[in-house]
Amino acid sequence: MILFAQSAKNRIPLKYGAIRLEKRQDEAMKRFRRNRLGAFIHWGLYSIPGGEWKGKMYMGAAEWLKEWAKVSSNEWMSLMEQWNPTDFNAMQWAKMLKEMGVKYVKITTKHHEGFCLWPSKYTKYTVANTPYRKDLLGAMVKAFNEEGIDVHFYFSVMDWSHPDWRSTIKTKEDSVAFVRFLKFTDNQLRELATSYPTVKDFWFDGTWDSSVKENAWWTAHVEQMLKELVPGVTVNSRLRADEYGRRHFDSNGQLMGDYESGYERRLPDPVKDLKVIRWDWEACMTLPENQWGYHKDWSLSYVKTPLEVIEHIVHAVSMGGNMVVNFGPCADGNFRNEEKIMMESVGAWMKKYGKCVYGCDYAGWQKQNWGYYTKNEKDIYMVVFNVPYSGLLLVKTLKGVEIEKAILLNGDELKIIELGREAYHVKMPDDDPGEPFVIKLVVKEKKETVDKYRDALI
Ligand code: H79
């Protein structure tokens, strides 16, 4: 593409930049892409206080409570004495998530606080040293895999529990400590990769500090190490920095890691931001405005409805991205009711209409206000969220593409009215489905279409 060709001329040599210029096309990456819908699980010591510390409720993200309430690491880690999720049932979690229709789950193996859900031998702050004792991560990996759900590991590089963690390197001592810290992190990552070899992805967080940016070599090394240890593994862009301290995209504007992971609690604009289709990407979102871990009081911010979550999922897929919906289970091992209802509602919709999500991609057709297009091979899906008063859904095809049929997923055919020059009306079904629904367009290409991936802005 033109933009790549231009930058190729001015490309500067980088030691720790992108290791490839195009999307990965191997089987493991195709699987990551096909999966499209995932769930996040944020579960750690922060799930115990649930946003409340010494009688005071904090509105900030519950998993950052240690920071908001200025709790010392020792005091925070003493929460481990209360860690005993007796209601935790990995098979039940796997079944619930399977019902929701997610194809993969991203689990917080270790969040910023430093508490490990697996019995790491490199720190005492693990589930093994709590009243619960058993390996929670291992139980989840096993149960999810048994249900055919891929497991991805969330891993925070920033570790508030570790004496050698530094956000900035100011002295020689800092630098020596940080080298030890990187060694410790390597050990934990190697431990995760070898103890749970079915892991499909590592999703890094807590990598924004200058200490990490100044050690770009280490981010490149981790990507390489994990890829050697786990064939096919995918790694998010948030891990990576180049030697100029550029993150996600290197100094030549090329994506580092396998997919872009900057869309946190937001999505690209379906018209203005079509550039995202040039790389793989994954967005993640919370149900409240910004709560990842369990927070006792969900009245403190707006909570998304199932309808909104379904729209976010389709929105992401329509632009060639994945969507990960977050859940923050309670410390006792139960999901809150709002989350259970969300899983069920999304699942019911995915069961009926998931065809427009799994394995689907950007269709290249001009977005219309009734909803989104997705595409699977030759089939185009219209995912209708807003029904116009006229009951007529405007469709503009790509040049040289003709619509032969418009059919509901139950097989009913809809009336098509040709308006001329690649424009059509598809007539709403007589009975309004009363929920977002899907129309499959069977299309015929009159001739080779050349502008499939045109950027709407150029
Ligand atoms: O795990 C969830 C969040 O806890 C974590 N990522 C998701 C998946 C996350 N929280 N915040 N961030 C990521 C972004 C960090 C923002 C920061 Fe800052 C801005 C870090 C440093 C400057 C906010 C302001 C936090 C500390 C100061």
Side-chain angles (χ1 to χ4, degrees):
M1 265 171 275
I2 294 165
L3 287 174
F4 281 167
Q6 276 174 344
S7 58
K9 231 181 14 193
N10 307 319
R11 201 171 288 150
I12 57 169
L14 290 171
K15 222 166 150 190
Y16 307 119
I19 56 176
R20 111 183 58 73
L21 303 181
E22 304 291 336
K23 288 183 183 182
R24 256 174 72 174
Q25 294 298 355
D26 54 287
E27 267 317 304
M29 192 71 218
K30 283 185 184 156
R31 182 184 173 103
F32 174 98
R33 197 179 292 138
R34 254 197 330 264
N35 282 344
R36 286 304 186 216
L37 175 61
F40 228 132
I41 291 185
H42 273 74
W43 207 30
L45 298 180
Y46 45 80
S47 318
I48 299 171
E52 185 181 1
W53 197 258
K54 303 215 158 110
K56 191 174 169 207
M57 197 66 89
Y58 291 81
M59 284 181 74
E63 73 283 0
W64 280 73
L65 179 65
K66 178 186 177 297
E67 183 82 4
W68 312 142
K70 301 273 174 268
V71 186
S72 73
S73 197
N74 270 347
E75 192 179 359
W76 186 262
M77 283 306 171
S78 69
L79 285 167
M80 278 171 59
E81 295 157 21
Q82 296 174 54
W83 183 261
N84 197 11
T86 45
D87 288 345
F88 170 71
N89 180 333
M91 273 323 287
Q92 194 191 349
W93 281 24
K95 289 210 161 72
M96 287 162 75
L97 289 161
K98 174 123 183 168
E99 278 298 295
M100 179 184 163
V102 305
K103 300 290 186 192
Y104 62 103
V105 179
K106 299 181 109 78
I107 308 168
T108 50
T109 59
K110 177 180 92 166
H111 203 265
H112 310 334
E113 63 181 8
F115 176 65
C116 301
L117 291 186
W118 84 101
S120 175
K121 61 179 186 214
Y122 300 102
T123 172
K124 59 183 178 197
Y125 301 128
T126 85
V127 67
N129 300 317
T130 67
Y132 188 75
R133 292 191 36 220
K134 289 170 277 182
D135 176 7
L136 284 166
L137 185 63
M140 282 191 256
V141 170
K142 182 166 179 286
F144 293 159
N145 284 170
E146 273 170 24
E147 288 294 335
I149 297 173
D150 287 346
V151 173
H152 295 191
F153 286 168
Y154 166 105
F155 185 92
S156 172
V157 173
M158 176 169 80
D159 184 332
W160 295 330
S161 76
H162 201 288
D164 290 332
W165 162 257
R166 299 287 184 282
S167 50
T168 52
I169 311 284
K170 294 189 195 110
T171 63
K172 182 80 185 108
E173 284 77 52
D174 286 343
S175 136
V176 172
F178 203 65
V179 168
R180 279 197 305 265
F181 180 79
L182 294 180
K183 196 94 209 121
F184 155 75
T185 308
D186 273 0
N187 284 337
Q188 286 207 319
L189 289 170
R190 203 174 303 106
E191 186 179 46
L192 282 170
T194 52
S195 309
Y196 311 99
T198 63
V199 62
K200 295 283 184 285
D201 173 271
F202 280 80
W203 197 94
F204 288 92
D205 198 9
T207 46
W208 49 74
D209 283 304
S210 61
S211 53
V212 179
K213 285 197 282 186
E214 286 161 13
N215 283 284
W217 68 270
W218 179 80
T219 71
H221 147 80
V222 166
E223 181 177 0
Q224 194 191 347
M225 174 180 84
L226 293 174
K227 285 179 176 174
E228 281 164 16
L229 289 171
V230 186
V233 78
T234 50
V235 173
N236 68 334
S237 63
R238 198 176 294 192
L239 166 69
R240 295 284 274 105
D242 76 3
E243 55 262 53
Y244 294 95
R246 297 288 297 269
R247 300 185 54 234
H248 297 274
F249 292 89
D250 69 17
S251 299
N252 291 318
Q254 301 293 344
L255 181 71
M256 294 180 284
D258 300 308
Y259 59 96
E260 200 270 353
S261 59
Y263 287 98
E264 189 167 308
R265 299 187 294 118
R266 65 198 174 91
L267 278 166
D269 182 278
V271 177
K272 287 188 209 140
D273 297 330
L274 277 179
K275 60 182 186 296
V276 299
I277 62 166
R278 295 188 193 121
W279 53 82
D280 284 301
W281 59 276
E282 177 191 70
C284 52
M285 51 165 282
T286 49
L287 300 185
E289 273 165 31
N290 187 18
Q291 295 294 344
W292 298 86
Y294 172 75
H295 194 293
K296 285 177 189 169
D297 190 352
W298 267 19
S299 73
L300 297 171
S301 81
Y302 178 77
V303 179
K304 293 174 192 68
T305 64
L307 204 64
E308 286 169 284
V309 171
I310 291 164
E311 181 158 356
H312 286 317
I313 296 166
V314 174
H315 177 162
V317 175
S318 79
M319 300 184 73
N322 287 20
M323 175 52 80
V324 178
V325 182
N326 180 68
F327 298 94
C330 313
D332 62 9
N334 290 303
F335 286 91
R336 67 202 306 148
N337 266 330
E338 298 97 318
E339 290 187 340
K340 286 191 212 157
I341 293 167
M342 181 62 70
M343 288 181 199
E344 284 161 15
S345 314
V346 171
W349 192 86
M350 290 298 292
K351 229 172 242 137
K352 258 168 112 175
Y353 301 109
K355 257 192 148 166
C356 72
V357 169
Y358 306 123
C360 289
D361 212 333
Y362 173 64
W365 293 24
Q366 191 186 101
K367 180 165 170 14
Q368 303 296 334
N369 289 333
W370 42 254
Y372 304 85
Y373 291 107
T374 65
K375 170 186 165 151
N376 194 344
E377 307 272 321
K378 286 209 133 142
D379 291 331
I380 301 284
Y381 295 110
M382 298 168 62
V383 195
V384 181
F385 284 88
N386 315 303
V387 178
Y389 284 117
S390 64
L392 299 169
L393 307 167
L394 182 65
V395 173
K396 291 185 179 171
T397 70
L398 290 181
K399 267 203 186 68
V401 176
E402 236 173 70
I403 300 181
E404 288 195 315
K405 264 188 210 166
I407 37 185
L408 297 176
L409 295 187
N410 68 11
D412 289 358
E413 236 180 273
L414 298 178
K415 195 171 169 212
I416 308 170
I417 302 139
E418 195 168 349
L419 305 172
R421 281 189 61 85
E422 283 104 25
Y424 299 81
H425 271 150
V426 174
K427 197 168 173 301
M428 277 290 291
D430 293 336
D431 297 322
D432 185 332
E435 62 183 2
F437 70 102
V438 175
I439 302 169
K440 181 171 114 172
L441 299 177
V442 180
V443 301
K444 194 169 82 183
E445 295 197 14
K446 279 194 280 195
K447 52 178 187 280
E448 182 74 7
T449 46
V450 287
D451 58 347
K452 238 180 228 170
Y453 288 94
R454 73 183 161 203
D455 192 312
L457 289 183
I458 299 174

